[in-house]
Amino acid sequence: MKSSLLEDFSLTYKTLVEKETVSLVERLSAPAVLKEAMIYSLKAGGKRIRPLLIFAVLDAFGRDPKIGLKPAAAIEMIHTYSLIHDDLPSMDNDDLRRGKPTNHKVFGEAAAILAGDALLTYAFELLAALDPEKASAETKLLLVKELAVSAGAEGMVGGQTADIEAEGKVLNLTELEYIHRNKTGKLLTCSVMMGALLADSDSETLELLRDFSRHIGLAFQIQDDILDIIGMQDKIGKPVGSDVGNQKNTYPALLTLDGAKEKLSEHIQLAKQSLAQTSLNIEMLLQLTDLIAVRDH
């Protein structure tokens, strides 16, 4: 019953956000190759965890999840741009993303960079243009700020920079957590916060949800690191062991595989404890939290 509930919810809202992102790009007055490159990576698949978190938070507040459709598209565009750029030869130099050739392998490096740039900037346009009936001017400003901070130098980009600088070095746990709280965790936090802001959350609930999101952000990255060792290439969509080959600092490398699994469990439990302190209908969020812990790609 529980898995069916999550599966139905995921299928419904994944389908909606995937159609929305493609439709939004198709309507742009832009060069065909640019739109093709943007859509190629948007359609590459994935669990769409970030959009689903927005929808699940709105559901927890008893709000119609569909009011989060354009913010969900915006967060997925930011995430997709980051993947396009991460795969470039000057960054992670990956040939595969979700089992398909990476954007620069199909369209060339220049087109891939520009496709990422276009997705990044379009995300903010979507938030600024939200229907006033779904988000007040104040709410739109808060959404834009949350996304900008989460995606920028104090968030994802800062974490990515620290990750690159750490290659070939041995980090301690605090240093590794800094990277992943920012590189991976901040966009997951942003997703949760966007849902809460759209639902006009009170400040106490907002902080509990922020705490929840910080733990699932680290849990998400720990599971990624674990899958890089024990996952299957056809599931994770890239060669197993690529982190080791790129001299990346990972939780299994620092804590051992068993230690990483223990740390994953710890963050999942702390995330659930934060949720339990709210007065929300948290069932869908709990199921998404479990999905993060047990996913195989």
Side-chain angles (χ1 to χ4, degrees), residues 139-207:
T139 297
K140 286 192 279 189
L141 182 60
L142 291 171
L143 291 170
V144 167
K145 181 181 179 182
E146 190 73 42
L147 185 58
V149 172
S150 299
E154 295 182 307
M156 181 183 68
V157 173
Q160 178 67 51
T161 302
D163 192 30
I164 291 171
E165 290 186 331
E167 289 178 11
K169 301 176 183 177
V170 178
L171 302 184
N172 60 38
L173 184 59
T174 299
E175 293 167 331
L176 185 61
E177 285 190 350
Y178 170 83
I179 290 173
H180 295 310
R181 282 189 188 279
N182 289 281
K183 180 184 174 182
T184 303
K186 285 290 179 71
L187 279 192
L188 290 165
T189 291
C190 184
S191 302
V192 173
M193 292 297 99
M194 278 184 163
L197 290 169
L198 287 166
D200 299 319
S201 172
D202 62 77
S203 59
E204 182 180 354
T205 302
L206 203 64
E207 286 312 306

Side-chain angles (χ1 to χ4, degrees), residues 94-96 228 233 236-243:
D94 280 324
D95 295 338
L96 291 175
D228 187 68
Q233 181 169 327
I236 65 175
K238 64 178 182 178
V240 174
S242 63
D243 288 341

Side-chain angles (χ1 to χ4, degrees), residues 25-59:
V25 172
E26 286 177 339
R27 76 185 192 188
L28 290 172
S29 298
V33 67
L34 177 61
K35 295 199 290 184
E36 187 180 352
M38 293 165 73
I39 290 170
Y40 176 82
S41 289
L42 285 170
K43 293 175 71 173
K47 286 189 178 297
R48 312 296 187 191
I49 291 290
R50 293 156 191 83
L52 286 174
L53 280 168
I54 294 178
F55 297 131
V57 170
L58 285 165
D59 178 75

